[in-house]
Amino acid sequence: DAGVTQSPTHLIKTRGQQVTLRCSPISGHKSVSWYQQVLGQGPQFIFQYYEKEERGRGNFPDRFSARQFPNYSSELNVNALLLGDSALYLCASSGDSQETQYFGPGTRLLVL
Amino acid sequence: GNSVTQMEGPVTLSEEAFLTINCTYTATGYPSLFWYVQYPGEGLQLLLKATKADDKGSNKGFEATYRKETTSFHLEKGSVQVSDSAVYFCALAGYSSASKIIFGSGTRLSIRP
């Protein structure tokens, strides 16, 4: 079975631009979470979606938004990019018990 | 709020040495505890987990025991290999927010042949 997939793998943007990152969960998983990992630090929780509804939000500005589609895939949008948004963005999916999360390979975003 | 503190790296060991990476946590209630590993250029992989006090998680020769009395979840391995070189993250998930994982800052491990 395929694991969590994310696209694109790498992305370069300039300050002020907008970016959309995509995630497909493991088949059968209805929960998707997004994390930001700045170089040299642990991942920080951004959002969780379950059954297309937002179930949790971390301490991130309103420039960050997300949604989940009927097939449980998800998009993370970041508007008005700042240099500090440069990071590895990780998506994780989990089953109904939500006990264990499985991470994708991430999208590495560089903002110049 | 909930938090995780793990020993700072980098940690450099020779092959076949004994490994301990310390991790302590602060949480209300009874969180689940995890160790994740991140190999160079890759995403996070779940290494092991424990969901209640005194549980021992184990995988690939690594072990960690959920110690509620000391709020710790130290990672150990009896004999490390070069292929164990990676960044290791201790993490917790609260009972009421299982999908919001709180990670430590990570410990970079390098193993010399």
Side-chain angles (χ1 to χ4, degrees):
Chain A
D1 286 342
V4 177
T5 59
Q6 294 185 242
S7 63
T9 56
H10 295 82
L11 205 50
I12 299 175
K13 293 286 188 179
T14 56
R15 280 179 296 175
Q17 286 189 310
Q18 175 264 340
V19 68
T20 298
L21 311 180
R22 296 176 177 82
C23 171
S24 292
I26 291 172
S27 178
H29 285 187
K30 300 176 182 178
S31 174
V32 169
S33 298
W34 287 94
Y35 292 80
Q36 180 196 64
Q37 186 180 15
V38 173
L39 192 63
Q41 298 181 19
Q44 298 289 316
F45 173 77
I46 309 175
F47 285 111
Q48 187 221 347
Y49 276 76
Y50 179 76
E51 288 275 20
K52 302 183 289 296
E53 291 188 2
E54 182 182 303
R55 291 296 184 90
R57 171 186 282 259
N59 188 24
F60 280 81
D62 293 343
R63 301 184 295 109
F64 288 77
S65 63
R67 56 180 175 169
Q68 187 176 33
F69 299 98
N71 66 353
Y72 303 111
S73 67
S74 178
E75 288 183 349
L76 174 70
N77 295 283
V78 186
N79 293 322
L81 285 167
L82 303 175
L83 296 180
D85 295 331
S86 296
L88 179 68
Y89 288 84
L90 295 164
C91 172
S93 75
S94 57
D96 284 343
S97 70
Q98 300 180 55
E99 187 176 272
T100 301
Q101 293 192 40
Y102 298 88
F103 283 81
T107 293
R108 192 165 295 281
L109 171 65
L110 177 61
V111 181
L112 302 176
Chain B
N2 296 346
S3 66
V4 174
T5 302
Q6 61 182 105
M7 66 187 286
E8 292 188 15
V11 174
T12 303
L13 297 172
S14 297
E15 204 166 22
E16 299 183 4
F18 184 85
L19 168 71
T20 299
I21 300 178
N22 291 335
C23 171
T24 57
Y25 68 90
T26 301
T28 55
Y30 301 92
S32 294
L33 301 175
F34 308 87
W35 278 98
Y36 280 86
V37 59
Q38 190 171 38
Y39 296 102
E42 298 185 14
L44 292 170
Q45 297 179 23
L46 177 65
L47 181 59
L48 54 83
K49 69 176 182 180
T51 57
K52 61 182 186 294
D54 299 325
D55 267 2
K56 177 184 285 188
S58 61
N59 186 27
K60 299 181 181 179
F62 290 90
E63 293 183 340
T65 301
Y66 190 141
R67 300 288 190 200
K68 189 163 178 64
E69 63 276 13
T70 55
T71 61
S72 65
F73 193 56
H74 305 319
L75 182 69
E76 297 181 335
K77 186 175 185 182
S79 177
V80 293
Q81 306 300 312
V82 172
S83 58
D84 294 326
S85 298
V87 180
Y88 292 81
F89 292 93
C90 184
L92 70 80
Y95 179 78
S96 61
S97 56
S99 285
K100 178 183 177 180
I101 298 180
I102 296 171
F103 289 87
S105 56
T107 302
R108 182 174 299 277
L109 174 66
S110 295
I111 307 300
R112 294 188 300 249

